[in-house]
Amino acid sequence: MADKKNQVSRRQFLNYTLTGVGGFMGAAMIAPMVGFAVDPLLKGEKDTDYVYVMDVNEITNEPQRKTFQVDQVDGWYESKVDRTAWVYKDENDEILALSPVCTHLGCTVDWNSNQDFPNEFYCPCHDGRYDKNGVNIPGTPPTEPLHSYDFQIQDGKLMLGKAKARKGA
Amino acid sequence: MKYSSKDVVAYSKAKEYIDTAIIPLIPFSFEDEEMSSLSFQKDVIQIYVDQIERELKGRVFVIPEYYYLKQDKIAEEKERLQAFIDHIAKQPFKYIFLVTSDNKWRKVTKDMDIELIWIPGIKDGHLEQAETQQVIKSQVQEIQTLIMDSWNE
Ligand code: FES
């Protein structure tokens, strides 16, 4: 008798197999749907999109504020959003394009806007400060440098990509 | 900050830095004559508020809109609004700004401990025009300065 219990009858076997396959098919069908549903959330900005911002020969040593538009997929909505960059050449004549988003809590920083702190990026929200290279000044709330945009130069035109956190400092 | 699941996480962690609340006051109605202008006003206010939020995100919290029927008695509305404000002030928010283009609020809010930011109505349907956008930009700048000035007082 004990033997019989452990045996899988033909019908049971078929049953198992069918549920197995059914389950498997179900999974296959659900997977793409989940894919659709989750996809927009995962997409964000594409890493490869570069947008023209200004001509390279217009770039000075003084940071200039430039606004440009990017396609952004924000959750369910795809829209054009404005981005701002502070564009300039540093002391080594390297191009820098900094994001104005304060690394503390996200207010918009301004260049040279506070008389008490000339030649710095200044955040009006909690007196956050960054030196000309966008590196946060210790003792002020921000904990990391301003992010910088990836960029490419094509035929003398400066194209900006995504803003990324910088190492160092 | 906004009342969104992402921002409230940041808010709870950094409450002491976010001491300023903005409450948009938005009237609505289904009367034929009013519907289009009121809905347009609502769009305009949302643009202003979004712009301000973007610039001052780290210190300003945009509260969910306060909606009311255009024909409601303003005296009754005042009580409800006061309760709304009291609740918000407790979080605490030190600075509370109401943003509206409904001029009924001007008198009513005089004796309240808040600041009313008045946004003049823009003519219907001109939001895409470069000129209008310029006007909005410069007004947003002014409102921003007003908020920042109150911080420095
Ligand atoms: S958000 Fe810039 S210092 Fe706090």
Side-chain angles (χ1 to χ4, degrees):
Chain A
M1 282 303 242
D3 250 18
K4 239 190 181 172
K5 258 190 200 158
N6 288 331
Q7 265 175 8
V8 179
S9 74
R10 173 171 294 241
R11 173 168 302 224
Q12 269 174 327
F13 176 74
L14 242 142
N15 244 332
Y16 289 145
T17 334
L18 278 176
T19 345
V21 172
F24 179 70
M25 272 166 49
M29 276 168 64
I30 287 165
M33 285 199 271
V34 172
F36 281 129
V38 176
D39 224 10
L41 298 169
L42 297 175
K43 254 203 254 156
E45 257 167 73
K46 280 160 250 143
D47 231 6
T48 49
D49 289 349
Y50 283 82
V51 180
Y52 168 73
V53 174
M54 68 193 293
D55 288 347
V56 172
N57 60 20
E58 288 171 2
I59 303 176
T60 58
N61 289 103
E62 186 70 9
Q64 297 180 62
R65 191 187 171 121
K66 292 284 164 188
T67 311
F68 57 105
Q69 283 200 322
V70 295
D71 286 318
Q72 190 195 40
V73 182
D74 182 12
W76 304 103
Y77 305 102
E78 187 164 353
S79 55
K80 288 221 181 292
V81 293
D82 282 344
R83 287 260 184 282
T84 307
W86 288 102
V87 183
Y88 59 103
K89 284 186 186 148
D90 67 11
E91 20 344 335
N92 308 320
D93 256 5
E94 308 267 3
I95 293 172
L96 263 179
L98 298 182
S99 155
V101 178
C102 183
T103 57
H104 178 222
L105 290 170
C107 290
T108 303
V109 304
D110 215 341
W111 167 250
N112 212 2
S113 59
N114 188 311
Q115 294 160 349
D116 297 338
F117 310 113
N119 291 313
E120 287 181 8
F121 292 97
Y122 176 75
C123 177
C125 285
H126 316 100
D127 298 316
R129 288 160 54 203
Y130 305 82
D131 67 17
K132 195 178 173 186
N133 295 316
V135 177
N136 52 304
I137 293 176
T140 71
T143 51
E144 55 167 318
L146 291 172
H147 293 187
S148 71
Y149 287 96
D150 286 344
F151 67 87
Q152 287 177 354
I153 293 169
Q154 288 167 14
D155 307 325
K157 295 185 189 317
L158 178 73
M159 320 277 288
L160 295 188
K162 257 185 117 170
K164 291 191 177 142
R166 293 189 291 166
K167 275 168 247 131
Chain B
M1 307 272 153
K2 286 184 182 154
Y3 197 78
S4 69
S5 52
K6 198 171 120 227
D7 282 358
V8 295
V9 174
Y11 172 67
S12 327
K13 281 196 213 131
K15 254 186 154 178
E16 70 273 26
Y17 287 105
I18 301 143
D19 62 359
T20 305
I22 292 185
I23 312 174
L25 303 181
I26 301 187
F28 69 101
S29 149
F30 279 86
E31 298 288 336
D32 281 341
E33 329 71 80
E34 289 180 329
M35 206 156 53
S36 73
S37 76
L38 287 179
S39 60
F40 185 70
Q41 260 182 44
K42 167 173 170 286
D43 291 348
V44 171
I45 299 249
Q46 262 154 1
I47 291 175
Y48 274 88
V49 169
D50 279 353
Q51 297 290 322
I52 297 166
E53 196 266 346
R54 198 181 129 150
E55 295 289 318
L56 302 177
K57 192 177 183 58
R59 187 157 176 184
V60 168
F61 198 113
V62 176
I63 309 295
E65 293 88 354
Y66 179 94
Y67 288 110
Y68 57 99
L69 286 171
K70 178 75 178 164
Q71 68 261 30
D72 276 357
K73 288 246 166 42
I74 202 78
E76 285 160 26
E77 252 346 292
K78 186 188 172 181
E79 265 174 50
R80 185 166 75 105
L81 179 64
Q82 186 63 61
F84 197 102
I85 291 172
D86 290 347
H87 183 80
I88 288 155
K90 261 193 260 157
Q91 300 317 311
F93 284 102
K94 200 167 155 206
Y95 307 95
I96 298 178
F97 294 91
L98 307 179
V99 180
T100 189
S101 38
D102 183 349
N103 52 22
K104 277 197 297 185
W105 291 110
R106 288 177 133 176
K107 264 201 199 129
V108 194
T109 52
K110 271 213 181 96
D111 57 331
M112 290 164 94
D113 193 19
I114 47 92
E115 249 192 279
L116 187 75
I117 296 176
W118 162 261
I119 293 179
I122 293 183
K123 274 214 209 85
D124 200 354
H126 292 230
L127 269 184
E128 288 78 32
Q129 283 180 5
E131 259 168 67
T132 315
Q133 287 176 359
Q134 265 315 313
V135 173
I136 295 182
K137 271 202 189 123
S138 69
Q139 281 175 352
V140 164
Q141 193 96 57
E142 268 172 51
I143 298 171
Q144 225 176 286
T145 315
L146 187 135
I147 295 175
M148 275 154 45
D149 283 350
S150 69
W151 291 341
N152 294 327
E153 260 163 27

